[in-house]
Amino acid sequence: MTAPKTIQLDSRDNVLVALTDLAAGESVASTRSSFAVISAIPAKQKLAMQDFPVGAEIMMYGVIVGKAREPIPKGGLLTTSNVVHDSAGFRAKESNYAWTPPDVTRWKDRTFDGFYRQDGQVGTRNYWLVIPLVFCENRNVDALREAFEEELGYGRPKQYRQQVRELLREYRTAASGPQATAQDAAQTTSRIFPNVDGIKFLVHQGGCGGTRDDSRALCGLLAGYIHHPNVAGATVLSLGCQNAQSTDLMDELKSRDTSLSKPVLIYDQQKSGLESTMLSNAIRETFQGLVTANQNIRKPAPLSKLTVGLKCGGSDGFSGISANPAVGHVSDMLAALGGKSILSEFPELCGVEQSLINRCTDEQSADRFIYLMRSYQARAKAVNSGFEMNPSPGNIRDGLLTDAMKSAGAGRKGGTSPVNDVLDYPEYVRKQGLSLQCTPGNDVECVTAQVGAGANVVLFTTGLGTPTGNPITPVIKLATNTKLAQRMSDIIDLDTGPIIDGQSTIESMADSILERIVEVASGSRHTMAESLRQDDFIPWKRGVSL
């Protein structure tokens, strides 16, 4: 069967998407008629199905994605010169939403092997965190990184290594008896704690000098990481005088875990006196925390214990046709299985707001989504920007001409299931099914926020290629096209390009993605980002510096 040359994404659309390069004069067909292309159309770009006068609305995915700023002839190429951003407005929830879940019979008894936590969450990894409350402590976090990583088989050490080596010798002696020797202790080519996936050292540039809201948000984000099912415990370094106080962190943690079930070791440098005293104490107690964390082993868990972040970055003209709808079907499958998924990137939901509002299960959630979207738009306008400026040069070059066009494809990651909750940053996920989360479109800021909300796996679609990862949660990278998967195979985990080629369906690709999630969640397979140690972490700063 000959692969199609173009696709009309919705019966209401008045443009086609080129699935392959089209030559001038080549004939193409739509649901309405056949016509000739009047100029060369590169793959991923859009061509007019009708004559567009100035100001005419351009429709894709059944929604307004722009309007003609110049006349566009039938069969002509859409460009940033002849198209400008436009989108439909949105208002209160209009009607009740009916949803037919996909058939997930074959998945109901499937499990993944995860780490159970006292609060009932299940992790896909088992990490210990070392984090600063303020940027002043970043150097000391790096000192602890140098001390631990090489000795325990996780990386390269420099200073304070001798203390960790001595703790390791004592640990081995206690475990193996007096026959353990100093030579044994020096053999650190393999991981000492096989059930601990690593120690992750997060640094950031916040905690002081900005607004109190930013400091509270940072404490909320860090609390989300400590509370996260992939984390066994945390070591926290505080200077003492900063805006982000340790009491604020603990208040945020209590709001997520009232029993404070995980060990949190807090060290205040201004109270400790000598820096060396603080770090030596931190090393000793962190080591003991690792000993305890190593006692947790993987056990079978139902797929309802999965919380999956839905993200796209380096998007192209195929994102909304292949990878994003496949991820959306996975989201629907998880909803049917009792799992959770998180759709974020509010600037990339521009133009599809009304659809999401109507999918909200209650008016409170719908109203909150409206408030957060309008507030975000107002903040962007206040700094002489706007959602219409979201598409990057790479997005535009590969067919995403307006923010509404990009958003219409990005929104397909959320599937069709009801919206059960709406979260502001940095809140933690509360309900099963699909939640909307207010974040930027920025790749790392968004993934950082999704993980802080509890995502224990992230699905990340890309058409141009991006290495984005996360320190504690595996990020599965999905290529929208086969050329990218082949060209950047060192960062891509799965190729959804066969959907474009007509060799796979969205449903069968979703099955493959969920199968990969189970493998990654169980620890039997690591993602490319994990192999590259792509530990990206950037908290979202909404306010100004003071």
Side-chain angles (χ1 to χ4, degrees):
M1 184 178 69
T2 304
K5 295 184 290 186
T6 62
I7 186 172
Q8 182 178 347
L9 297 171
D10 188 279
S11 61
R12 294 166 288 183
D13 291 358
N14 50 24
V15 297
L16 298 177
V17 181
L19 298 179
T20 187
D21 292 343
L22 302 173
E26 191 168 352
S27 178
V28 296
S30 71
T31 55
R32 303 175 188 174
S33 65
S34 296
F35 56 93
V37 174
I38 65 172
S39 61
I41 310 287
K44 306 181 185 179
Q45 300 294 338
K46 285 72 183 172
L47 60 148
M49 293 170 58
Q50 64 182 52
D51 291 327
F52 287 102
V54 173
E57 292 179 344
I58 295 168
M59 303 284 292
M60 275 185 65
Y61 302 98
V63 298
I64 300 169
V65 297
K67 61 183 178 182
R69 73 164 87 201
E70 296 177 356
I72 307 172
K74 184 176 182 178
L77 173 68
L78 274 64
T79 70
T80 53
S81 297
N82 58 27
V83 175
V84 66
H85 168 83
D86 193 25
S87 63
F90 56 94
R91 52 199 173 276
K93 181 176 169 64
E94 296 175 328
S95 60
N96 292 328
Y97 182 69
W99 181 59
T100 302
D103 183 2
V104 292
T105 303
R106 61 167 288 201
W107 295 98
K108 281 190 173 179
D109 295 327
R110 286 294 300 276
T111 61
F112 70 96
D113 293 331
F115 295 97
Y116 278 80
R117 304 300 177 189
Q118 289 185 30
D119 61 3
Q121 295 188 102
V122 179
T124 61
R125 298 291 183 268
N126 191 27
Y127 287 113
W128 189 275
L129 279 183
V130 179
I131 56 179
L133 273 178
V134 63
F135 53 78
C136 308
E137 291 297 320
N138 284 348
R139 181 174 61 85
N140 286 330
V141 170
D142 287 338
L144 294 183
R145 186 200 309 267
E146 293 167 0
F148 275 104
E149 284 191 335
E150 186 75 14
E151 289 298 324
L152 300 185
Y154 299 116
R156 298 171 299 187
K158 293 178 184 176
Q159 197 179 1
Y160 292 104
R161 178 172 175 175
Q162 186 59 42
Q163 183 182 356
V164 175
R165 182 176 295 171
E166 180 61 25
L167 288 168
L168 180 56
R169 186 192 67 78
E170 294 173 2
Y171 172 71
R172 281 179 161 165
T173 299
S176 306
Q179 67 269 26
T181 64
Q183 183 177 2
D184 294 331
Q187 294 174 352
T188 58
T189 55
S190 61
R191 279 176 20 188
I192 306 306
F193 302 118
N195 296 322
V196 178
D197 290 290
I199 313 175
K200 293 298 183 178
F201 303 83
L202 309 185
V203 295
H204 56 81
Q205 303 305 316
C208 201
T211 66
R212 295 298 193 270
D213 283 344
D214 273 339
S215 291
R216 280 192 290 270
L218 176 64
C219 286
L221 178 70
L222 297 179
Y225 271 69
I226 295 171
H227 180 53
H228 196 281
N230 289 5
V231 171
T235 299
V236 180
L237 301 187
S238 169
L239 180 61
C241 59
Q242 71 277 351
N243 288 344
Q245 289 286 298
S246 59
T247 52
D248 297 328
L249 174 68
M250 295 309 293
D251 287 343
E252 290 287 347
L253 188 56
K254 286 177 186 176
S255 71
R256 292 159 174 79
D257 178 12
T258 55
S259 62
L260 296 177
S261 56
K262 291 181 183 177
V264 181
L265 313 175
I266 300 178
Y267 303 91
D268 189 312
Q269 186 173 0
Q270 290 174 344
K271 291 180 181 177
S272 298
L274 292 177
E275 180 182 284
S276 58
T277 300
M278 179 184 74
L279 293 182
S280 292
N281 290 338
I283 288 171
R284 186 180 307 107
E285 294 183 24
T286 299
F287 189 91
Q288 186 54 52
L290 291 167
V291 172
T292 302
N294 191 53
Q295 297 170 7
N296 198 348
I297 61 173
R298 290 183 180 270
K299 298 177 183 178
L303 301 189
S304 60
K305 293 296 184 179
L306 290 171
T307 301
V308 177
L310 314 171
K311 177 71 178 85
C312 56
S315 300
D316 71 346
F318 288 162
S319 293
I321 303 173
S322 58
N324 288 355
V327 165
H329 195 70
V330 172
S331 177
D332 289 345
M333 294 166 73
L334 287 170
L337 290 164
K340 304 181 183 76
S341 59
I342 304 171
L343 179 64
S344 308
E345 304 178 276
F346 273 25
E348 298 184 15
L349 299 178
C350 180
V352 296
E353 297 99 334
Q354 194 62 53
S355 170
L356 292 169
I357 291 166
N358 292 341
R359 285 166 58 186
C360 287
T361 53
D362 57 70
E363 290 189 6
Q364 181 180 1
S365 295
D367 290 345
R368 194 176 199 216
F369 176 60
I370 293 170
Y371 169 76
L372 290 173
M373 281 295 290
R374 288 181 173 159
S375 297
Y376 199 157
Q377 288 175 324
R379 288 198 302 272
K381 293 293 185 184
V383 292
N384 299 315
S385 187
F387 288 175
E388 68 276 6
M389 300 179 70
N390 176 269
S392 70
N395 296 150
I396 295 169
R397 184 180 62 245
D398 271 49
L400 302 178
L401 306 179
T402 69
D403 184 55
M405 190 179 291
K406 183 180 181 182
S407 296
R412 300 191 78 185
K413 299 191 304 295
T416 61
S417 67
V419 174
N420 288 337
D421 203 5
V422 176
L423 308 174
D424 194 8
Y425 175 83
E427 292 174 338
Y428 205 82
V429 68
R430 297 175 289 241
K431 296 182 180 179
Q432 292 177 323
L434 178 65
S435 293
L436 305 180
Q437 180 197 28
C438 184
T439 76
N442 177 287
D443 291 351
V444 178
E445 288 179 333
C446 179
V447 173
T448 297
Q450 289 182 331
V451 175
N456 53 13
V457 174
V458 172
L459 296 177
F460 191 117
T461 72
T462 182
L464 306 177
T466 169
T468 303
N470 183 264
I472 65 169
T473 288
V475 179
I476 300 173
K477 215 68 59 59
L478 310 170
T480 70
N481 61 90
T482 299
K483 287 183 180 179
L484 169 64
Q486 294 172 342
R487 187 175 71 253
M488 302 183 74
S489 60
D490 57 336
I491 67 169
I492 297 298
D493 295 286
L494 274 174
D495 175 22
T496 67
I499 295 174
I500 300 295
D501 301 334
Q503 304 302 311
S504 179
T505 65
I506 287 171
E507 292 77 14
S508 63
M509 187 61 68
D511 279 338
S512 298
I513 295 170
L514 188 51
E515 195 69 57
R516 180 62 61 90
I517 289 175
V518 172
E519 293 175 355
V520 169
S522 299
S524 59
R525 183 192 287 264
H526 283 80
T527 66
M528 293 299 186
E530 288 179 296
S531 299
L532 294 170
R533 298 188 67 175
Q534 188 81 26
D535 290 345
D536 298 318
F537 179 80
I538 303 178
W540 183 24
K541 181 181 178 182
R542 279 170 154 169
V544 297
S545 293
L546 300 176

